[in-house]
Amino acid sequence: MTYIGATPVRRRIPVVRYMPGIGAIWLREVKRALRDRGQLIGGFSRPLLWVLIMGIGLNPYFRGEVYGEVRFVVPYTYVQFIFPAIIMLNIMYTSVQSAVSMIWDREFGFLREVLVSPLPRWAVLLGKILGGATIATGHGCLVILLARFANVPLSPGDVVVGIAFMFLAAFGLTALGIVIANRVRTFQGFGVFANAVILPLYFTSSSVFPLDPALTRAQTAVLYPEWLVLLVRANPLTYAVDSLRGIFIDFNQFDPSLGPLVAFCMAGGFFLVALWDFRKP
């Protein structure tokens, strides 16, 4: 506490002091995304196609199938199994693509104007990431609306916990998108590079096919090649998808505590990398 004359003046911590600026940048990102009809259409059509075509189409081949010499049975239909993964897919696409605004702002000079304001760079970055994470979480909630069609019963508590975890994952993935945008300076290059990151991350996250850690290495080798199993286990998104399965369908392939821990590390790590790049002139 400092004093001006005899009047005490309480100092505000930096986060509180810069909240109006952070909120303004967050609101701008949200408004821009809401005005983008293509993004909204993609948020609806993408999960709908996955649930109706991928989920229902492969469902008869999933329950009780025999792969090689190993019988692998998941106590859920295939639509239920991939439902949390479809939520993560929608979050991934929206989070990473929201970083396109960074390239747009840099190209048209808005970013330069913001950076010369009294707002520090970490606050600018935080506002943009929070905006992208909010929109991505909203797109994840669009998939939750399809829970009835996927025969996934959800309680209000499941939805609240799920949305909180979705926001944490979206924060980390939006920060990853900012990292990509800081290295790829063109719209065309960003689109190609972002897809080159999204698709491998998604398909090696045990999102489409199950990976049972209870099986021995020899049994797992019958199902998948060893290099693919290593990629799945090394992919941080694997544990995020697994956490969503634990929340929404009460099924975990790995230790339930790994998902939140990995998501926190991913969010903090990518934010620090993005901040390091963002501080460069």
Side-chain angles (χ1 to χ4, degrees), residues 51-125:
V51 169
L52 293 179
I53 297 177
M54 189 76 172
I56 296 177
L58 291 179
N59 192 62
Y61 302 96
F62 185 73
R63 301 179 67 181
E65 272 301 293
V66 178
Y67 299 89
E69 299 177 356
V70 179
R71 178 176 291 275
F72 188 89
V73 181
V74 173
Y76 297 95
T77 65
Y78 190 58
V79 180
Q80 291 171 326
F81 179 78
I82 69 169
F83 179 76
I86 297 172
I87 295 176
M88 187 58 64
L89 177 66
N90 237 25
I91 291 174
M92 281 187 68
Y93 265 102
T94 310
S95 295
V96 176
Q97 292 299 327
S98 67
V100 171
S101 67
M102 180 71 74
I103 300 177
W104 181 277
D105 291 344
R106 187 166 53 230
E107 287 289 328
F108 292 93
F110 177 79
L111 185 61
R112 189 183 307 112
E113 295 176 3
V114 173
L115 292 180
V116 298
S117 69
L119 204 63
R121 296 197 174 198
W122 66 263
V124 176
L125 178 64

Side-chain angles (χ1 to χ4, degrees), residues 130-252:
L130 288 176
T134 301
I135 293 298
T137 304
H139 280 220
C141 291
L142 294 178
V143 187
I144 295 179
L145 297 178
L146 299 175
R148 182 179 178 183
F149 299 98
N151 197 23
V152 176
L154 296 177
S155 68
D158 293 337
V159 174
V160 171
V161 174
I163 290 176
F165 184 82
M166 286 156 54
F167 185 84
L168 176 62
F171 186 95
L173 290 168
T174 304
L176 172 61
I178 297 292
V179 171
I180 297 173
N182 283 330
R183 287 165 167 75
V184 181
R185 298 282 173 160
T186 64
F187 294 105
Q188 297 83 354
F190 179 86
V192 173
F193 195 79
N195 282 325
V197 171
I198 290 174
L199 294 179
L201 275 177
Y202 182 72
F203 284 108
T204 58
S205 64
S206 189
S207 56
V208 181
F209 302 107
L211 178 66
D212 190 350
L215 298 178
T216 65
R217 175 171 291 186
Q219 290 174 322
T220 305
V222 175
L223 298 176
Y224 311 107
E226 187 173 355
W227 61 267
L228 182 57
V229 176
L230 291 176
L231 284 178
V232 172
R233 295 182 183 276
N235 185 353
L237 207 65
T238 298
Y239 307 99
V241 172
D242 190 62
S243 281
L244 282 182
R245 285 200 179 106
I247 295 169
F248 289 131
I249 65 173
D250 197 25
F251 175 74
N252 290 100

